Amino acid sequence: MTQEEQNSGAKTNIVIYLLLGLICLTPNLFYAFTGSTFADSLTKKAAYLFLSLIVFLIPFLFLKRKTAFTFSLLYVILSPLEIIHLMMYKDGVNSGFMLLLRQTNLSEALELTSSFAVYAIVWIFIIVVYIILLTKIRSNTPLFNSLQKRYFLIISSGTFVGLYLYTLSLGLINLTFKEAYRFSKEAYPQKFAKLYPLDIFIATKNAIKTRNEINRLSQNIANFRFNAKSGNPITDKEVYVLVIGETARYANFGINGYHRNTSPHLAKTSSLHSFHDVYTEANFTEGALPIMLTRATADNFEISRKEKSILEAFKECGFKTYWLSNQSFGNPFIGRITSESTGKYSTVKDYDSANNYDTYLLPNLDKVLSFNDRKQFIVIHSLGSHFRYNFRYPEEFRIFRPDFEGAFDYTAIKSSNKDKLINTYDNTMLFTDHFLSQIIEKIQKKSCISYMYYISDHGENLFDISESVLHGGRIPTKYDAHIPLFIWTSKEFNSIFPEKILAIQNNLHKSITSSVSFHSLLDLANISVADMNFQKSIASLSLKSDSNRVMLNSNMETIVIR
Ligand SMILES: [Zn+2]
């Protein structure tokens, strides 16, 4: 072989390597340019792609070039998962999506991507091209010489350490060093949870873990019964709806006296009552949900693992139960309690999806209401006002301005941006008002005995106390704690249960907590369980005011809130 032939051979090889690399990293390019995470920043897109390249090249340190490129075929094989997910949700694969892969819902999801067959053909074609290019690699020797290896190690370890320090510095903006270190321990792996193809493996691992946890929890309580009994005739049509809000605080609703009219629709709704002094018993979602949905309390959280949930109590009385949700798909507790529901409509979008509005749940509500069930208990789990607030509402709800736009960075949450943050948050209130009034309108049309019970899982800090922001801190505040609780009842309900309405009106100012929900939802539906506690029912005159309210923080410590 002449020198010239060798040179041209080397050039051909480089072109082949570049092509193979480009094919492998197509999902990463797709993520950087279509995912909502980096929508606002070219630097972040570049950083993501740089990190992708480093991870891609790691096998080349240990394997010979042909072997390493063969190994990288995995990138191409898995790519449809990432790309489909990005097309549907503008976000990379998550564990909810991997859980769905085992279920029939996926076929429903895939119907959304109309040209599915075309994509499948393109995918197979690319795999074939990749394999043909692989066979063109003549020598199977290491890609890097020892000097190049050394440079690569320096650059890659520098990148990993740099990324860690960046994560730590984000924590240090609002936290002490110890707290920031704890934050970084959780947040650092998250940086890789979005990196294709690692995201697929991490999501699969989490999905398997969740599935096993759900099975274990279900087995433990398989024989549990509430011995629930309904006082209503079997022929009565009853539709009861529980709406679980997210991060909505009491004080920012216009109907609760806020200076902005953030709840114009609810203000005009008749038969709607707002409770004025309700505290959550946990300032984070995972703690708050079991306390609302089972007989667990902050003091005795274990009950949520020993007893079934409100859904099963309704089921014992012949109700069909439904769960409509656009969050918490990876929460084992929710997985357990919904596994026995009649119907479950859950999207796999979450907080990071820019296009995940609560109103997208309404077509599912229409569908459930159209079923001919005599008795229905429907839970709607919303995303409400979860950070990033601006992701929760569409353009026409940008009433309070300036508000945040796009995937703004956590570093933007600082007290100098307080007004902008509150504007953005208040727009989510407006959207919640719209969402709830839509739900009420739909139930009202069924002309039957019904209620809508709305409660938020916890509140939010918006720089009310110095630098205090978001929720879930170790020391809960009044702003995490004070939550909205609304009850709307139908005309038919009011005429059958005037005494319950009287009790509600009498109870509106009592100091209570979110754990009243389990007892209240049943009592409102005229259902009682074996050891019913009317002191915890908002529909009973026996409802007791709490002098000391206890709250669970995210370390699972109980703290008294005054
Ligand atoms: Zn929450």
Side-chain angles (χ1 to χ4, degrees):
M1 202 183 279
T2 66
Q3 185 66 34
E4 208 171 297
E5 275 170 343
Q6 269 185 15
N7 282 347
S8 93
K11 269 183 199 156
T12 319
N13 277 342
I14 289 173
V15 172
I16 290 174
Y17 302 153
L18 286 176
L19 276 174
L20 290 173
L22 191 67
I23 293 175
C24 289
L25 293 173
T26 301
N28 304 63
L29 283 162
F30 207 69
Y31 186 87
F33 290 97
T34 69
S36 57
T37 316
F38 309 127
D40 62 332
S41 158
L42 211 63
T43 321
K44 282 186 190 166
K45 286 190 209 324
Y48 173 82
L49 289 174
F50 182 65
L51 196 60
S52 301
L53 185 65
I54 285 183
V55 171
F56 175 73
L57 287 175
I58 287 173
F60 290 87
L61 284 179
F62 311 101
L63 304 172
K64 289 173 181 167
R65 63 186 75 186
K66 202 165 178 176
T67 321
F69 275 118
T70 310
F71 171 80
S72 304
L73 185 59
L74 204 67
Y75 275 76
V76 193
I77 292 172
L78 295 175
S79 63
L81 290 176
E82 183 80 355
I83 290 175
I84 287 172
H85 203 272
L86 274 164
M87 282 166 57
M88 291 198 296
Y89 308 123
K90 295 196 188 307
D91 195 19
V93 163
N94 56 34
S95 64
F97 186 69
M98 297 314 288
L99 275 172
L100 266 195
L101 280 182
R102 291 169 42 119
Q103 298 169 11
T104 47
N105 303 37
L106 186 67
S107 56
E108 246 174 66
L110 289 180
E111 280 166 20
L112 293 173
T113 57
S114 50
S115 344
F116 184 63
V118 178
Y119 295 132
I121 292 165
V122 172
W123 176 54
I124 291 166
F125 174 75
I126 290 173
I127 291 179
V128 172
V129 169
Y130 191 92
I131 292 171
I132 292 171
L133 287 173
L134 260 185
T135 60
K136 302 273 182 206
I137 301 177
R138 290 177 208 150
S139 63
N140 193 13
T141 50
L143 189 66
F144 298 132
N145 62 36
S146 58
L147 185 70
Q148 287 167 330
K149 265 188 193 171
R150 209 173 303 155
Y151 280 134
F152 180 76
L153 281 172
I154 292 169
I155 292 170
S156 56
S157 45
T159 306
F160 292 132
V161 172
L163 189 65
Y164 178 76
L165 292 176
Y166 170 71
T167 316
L168 189 69
S169 73
L170 280 186
L172 284 172
I173 295 172
N174 291 320
L175 305 169
T176 65
F177 187 81
K178 212 172 148 191
E179 286 168 335
Y181 170 69
R182 268 216 319 259
F183 162 80
S184 70
K185 254 173 59 183
E186 270 188 37
Y188 187 58
Q190 287 303 314
K191 301 274 175 224
F192 299 93
K194 299 241 174 207
L195 196 81
Y196 180 79
L198 299 182
D199 60 344
I200 306 247
F201 298 111
I202 294 170
T204 308
K205 186 179 141 253
N206 290 341
I208 293 170
K209 202 172 126 200
T210 305
R211 175 64 48 197
N212 291 343
E213 180 73 358
I214 291 169
N215 291 342
R216 196 181 59 77
L217 290 170
S218 303
Q219 278 162 12
N220 288 351
I221 51 168
N223 298 320
F224 180 87
R225 275 190 71 82
F226 285 108
N227 295 317
K229 288 189 178 59
S230 168
N232 291 351
I234 211 157
T235 47
D236 279 355
K237 167 95 177 161
E238 296 169 80
V239 175
Y240 301 124
V241 178
L242 160 65
V243 183
I244 304 172
E246 173 64 68
T247 321
R249 49 192 242 169
Y250 169 87
N252 288 51
F253 280 96
I255 51 166
N256 290 335
Y258 190 46
H259 66 90
R260 283 175 163 170
N261 187 13
T262 52
S263 45
H265 293 98
L266 293 176
K268 278 183 268 170
T269 307
S270 55
S271 283
L272 182 99
H273 293 94
S274 173
F275 282 75
H276 298 291
D277 195 7
V278 189
Y279 279 12
T280 181
E281 284 195 38
N283 68 349
F284 62 107
T285 312
E286 290 76 13
L289 293 174
I291 290 172
M292 295 189 280
L293 296 163
T294 70
R295 286 195 283 198
T297 56
D299 278 333
N300 196 346
F301 194 72
E302 263 312 292
I303 290 185
S304 65
R305 299 191 183 94
K306 291 179 185 156
E307 294 191 355
K308 288 186 173 176
S309 77
I310 185 90
L311 273 84
E312 283 118 340
F314 272 98
K315 210 169 149 188
E316 285 181 17
C317 295
F319 277 73
K320 302 282 189 216
T321 59
Y322 298 91
W323 187 272
L324 321 180
S325 160
N326 56 6
Q327 65 151 304
S328 291
F329 46 74
N331 179 324
F333 169 76
I334 299 297
R336 193 264 291 169
I337 72 169
T338 57
S339 63
E340 288 181 40
S341 62
T342 317
K344 182 176 163 183
Y345 303 87
S346 153
T347 72
V348 296
K349 299 178 214 174
D350 63 10
Y351 309 119
D352 288 333
S353 312
N355 55 345
N356 193 12
Y357 306 134
D358 284 335
T359 41
Y360 291 167
L361 294 169
L362 294 174
N364 288 329
L365 177 63
D366 286 332
K367 192 161 152 188
V368 168
L369 289 174
S370 75
F371 297 154
N372 258 338
D373 307 323
R374 202 112 283 272
K375 298 184 190 288
Q376 293 184 323
F377 178 66
I378 305 164
V379 184
I380 301 176
H381 190 189
S382 70
L383 262 181
S385 307
H386 196 286
F387 193 79
R388 300 185 170 83
Y389 311 136
N390 57 310
F391 279 3
R392 308 291 156 238
Y393 55 86
E395 184 67 25
E396 60 269 33
F397 282 82
R398 293 183 62 198
I399 303 297
F400 304 111
R401 299 193 190 205
D403 57 347
F404 278 102
E405 288 178 73
F408 68 94
D409 201 276
Y410 276 76
T411 49
I413 322 174
K414 48 190 173 198
S415 48
S416 56
N417 276 333
K418 179 178 173 179
D419 291 342
K420 198 172 173 186
L421 202 69
I422 293 177
N423 287 343
T424 318
Y425 184 84
D426 284 347
N427 287 333
T428 70
M429 292 281 118
L430 276 175
F431 195 61
T432 297
D433 170 71
H434 164 72
F435 178 57
L436 293 179
S437 59
Q438 290 281 301
I439 293 173
I440 292 173
E441 206 173 286
K442 287 176 191 302
I443 317 169
Q444 203 160 25
K445 283 194 186 132
K446 301 308 286 183
S447 306
C448 64
I449 306 167
S450 55
Y451 64 65
M452 183 209 67
Y453 181 105
Y454 167 80
I455 187 166
S456 181
D457 62 345
H458 49 75
E460 186 83 322
N461 294 285
L462 295 168
F463 294 107
D464 311 275
I465 314 168
S466 64
E467 292 299 302
S468 186
V469 73
L470 306 180
H471 62 267
R474 229 190 120 209
I475 312 288
T477 68
K478 198 175 97 186
Y479 305 94
D480 297 310
H482 198 182
I483 49 170
L485 195 177
F486 307 141
I487 176 87
W488 169 86
T489 48
S490 70
K491 229 169 46 227
E492 294 75 6
F493 183 101
N494 297 347
S495 69
I496 297 181
F497 300 120
E499 76 290 352
K500 291 193 196 291
I501 300 297
L502 268 178
I504 287 171
Q505 286 163 345
N506 182 67
N507 289 334
L508 290 177
H509 291 274
K510 286 188 181 170
S511 311
I512 52 176
T513 66
S514 53
S515 70
V516 300
S517 300
F518 180 92
H519 311 268
S520 303
L521 289 162
L522 290 177
D523 188 25
L524 281 160
N526 213 21
I527 291 174
S528 57
V529 293
D531 32 13
M532 189 79 179
N533 185 355
F534 289 101
Q535 291 190 343
K536 285 202 152 199
S537 167
I538 61 161
S540 162
L541 286 171
S542 320
L543 178 71
K544 199 169 151 267
S545 249
D546 293 321
S547 44
N548 267 340
R549 286 179 282 194
V550 180
M551 198 161 163
L552 212 56
N553 69 15
S554 48
N555 284 358
M556 301 306 274
E557 298 158 333
T558 48
I559 288 172
V560 175
I561 292 277
R562 278 172 232 283

